[in-house]
Amino acid sequence: MVRSDKLPPLPSIRAFEAAARLESFARAAQELGTTAASVSYHVRQLEQQTGLHLFVRHPHKVVLTAAGAAIAREATAAFAALHASFVKAQDRDEARLSLTTLPTFGTSWLTPRLGLFRARHPDIAIELELSAEPQALGDGRFDAAIRHGLGDWRGLRSVRLFPVLFMPLCAPALKAAAAGLEDPGKALDVPLLGRPDWWGLWYRALGVAPGPPPDRFGTSLAAEHMDIAAAIAGHGIAIGSPILFRDEIAAGRLVPAHDLVAGDGRAFWFVYPVARLQSAKIARFRDWLSEAAAAELSHARDLAGRAVILDP
């Protein structure tokens, strides 16, 4: 037979290695999830391709030939090394959790709390990326995400955290200037900040439509936490989440400019691919995040209970 430098098919090598290690085609088949006939076929193919007699076959067992024993030692070592490389890769992957989340949620609520997760799970490093647009999961870049919506993302397991609520917020010094806020046609001494659609929905919840005209708005900023920063600085009245900015309200840097709380039926969700249900790092972060969100929601129980929820 002409010698070939081409490696025999991997299924044949795998069947041979298992049969050699277990000294049985039947036990090898059980380990590989196939049949003894299939293992025998692959071994026979390997023998034909190499021109080597690898086993002496007996009725209830197989015994390696000298050539088979030499190859088996190398094959077993190779598969063991390959298995070890996968284990190491899995260990490295389990030690790093890559998350993508919304800018305001990540900046104002999640980041200040991540140290608590690290204190509980110091063996898991967090990589956090902020993005206003939903990022794909399952392509290796991100393990999980925090999104807002209705929780119905195909192929993803969704865990509800707390509702998306909003209300007018301002610096304490602007509370008096916000006294005429209920009338969207009334001129105010300070501009409105934040998303016009949220303002429109808030006025609908108030029973006033349409919402404020375009000339009522001040500087247009890219994210809710930037609107809130401008409101804290006294540059206007922002529409924002009393849950995400509870610390600012508790510290007196913000006050509600009106008591009405509105929502559009959406919530914040922790999401991850269904295929990653067995991931220990995701499970640990999910459990910690759910616990933190439940504590947050307990503080916001009154807000959530009196919120007026409308369709967007």
Side-chain angles (χ1 to χ4, degrees):
M1 182 175 181
V2 178
R3 176 178 173 178
S4 173
D5 291 330
K6 184 179 179 181
L7 185 70
L10 187 57
S12 295
I13 299 174
R14 187 70 184 95
F16 163 74
E17 188 277 332
R21 177 167 38 83
L22 299 171
E23 298 182 336
S24 167
F25 286 176
R27 288 198 295 271
Q30 186 175 14
E31 178 179 287
L32 299 175
T34 185
T35 64
S38 175
V39 172
S40 177
Y41 168 79
H42 281 296
V43 171
R44 185 72 69 186
Q45 288 290 103
L46 188 61
E47 290 177 323
Q48 291 175 356
Q49 291 164 7
T50 61
L52 297 171
H53 191 53
L54 302 175
F55 286 103
V56 176
R57 291 159 173 82
H58 298 285
H60 300 293
K61 67 175 184 177
V62 291
V63 178
L64 286 164
T65 63
I71 296 173
R73 285 192 296 270
E74 298 294 336
T76 298
F79 278 112
L82 186 60
H83 178 263
S85 69
F86 277 105
V87 170
K88 289 178 182 178
Q90 289 172 328
D91 288 344
R92 285 194 298 268
D93 181 72
E94 282 294 320
R96 179 188 64 87
L97 182 66
S98 180
L99 299 170
T100 173
T101 187
L102 300 159
T104 294
F105 189 98
T107 300
S108 302
W109 193 88
L110 182 59
T111 298
R113 292 166 172 78
L114 282 179
L116 301 176
F117 174 79
R118 286 283 290 156
R120 184 180 297 184
H121 300 290
D123 56 325
I124 302 177
I126 298 291
E127 294 180 3
L128 180 64
E129 180 171 308
L130 306 181
S131 174
E133 298 298 324
Q135 299 299 305
L137 301 179
D139 61 2
R141 289 190 304 151
F142 300 107
D143 297 303
I146 296 167
R147 297 180 178 177
H148 59 67
L150 301 177
D152 52 351
W153 294 283
R154 180 175 297 181
L156 300 180
R157 176 63 58 90
S158 303
V159 179
R160 193 176 189 272
L161 301 178
F162 44 76
V164 174
L165 302 177
F166 39 87
M167 67 187 305
L169 300 168
C170 65
L174 296 186
K175 178 75 172 181
L181 190 63
E182 290 188 1
D183 183 357
K186 182 179 180 179
L188 296 176
D189 294 334
V190 292
L192 302 181
L193 300 168
R195 293 174 50 168
D197 60 330
W198 279 10
W199 275 111
L201 193 147
W202 184 82
Y203 274 106
R204 280 174 51 205
L206 191 63
V208 179
D215 60 7
R216 293 283 299 277
F217 291 89
T219 305
S220 178
L221 301 171
E224 184 185 352
H225 65 275
M226 299 172 68
D227 296 320
I228 293 297
I232 290 173
H235 299 322
I237 303 169
I239 189 84
S241 169
I243 298 179
L244 295 183
F245 301 103
R246 179 174 64 87
D247 291 344
E248 286 75 8
I249 295 172
R253 294 188 292 272
L254 282 176
V255 296
H258 194 282
D259 289 337
L260 179 68
V261 182
D264 57 7
R266 296 178 304 160
F268 292 103
W269 302 79
F270 177 64
V271 300
Y272 55 97
V274 172
R276 302 297 304 277
L277 288 177
Q278 302 304 317
S279 171
K281 64 180 180 181
I282 292 177
R284 290 173 182 173
F285 190 81
R286 177 200 63 211
D287 293 346
W288 170 82
L289 187 61
S290 296
E291 180 183 313
E296 190 65 57
L297 191 55
S298 69
H299 291 292
R301 197 172 307 280
D302 175 65
L303 291 171
R306 61 186 172 89
V308 178
I309 308 299
L310 299 175
D311 291 331

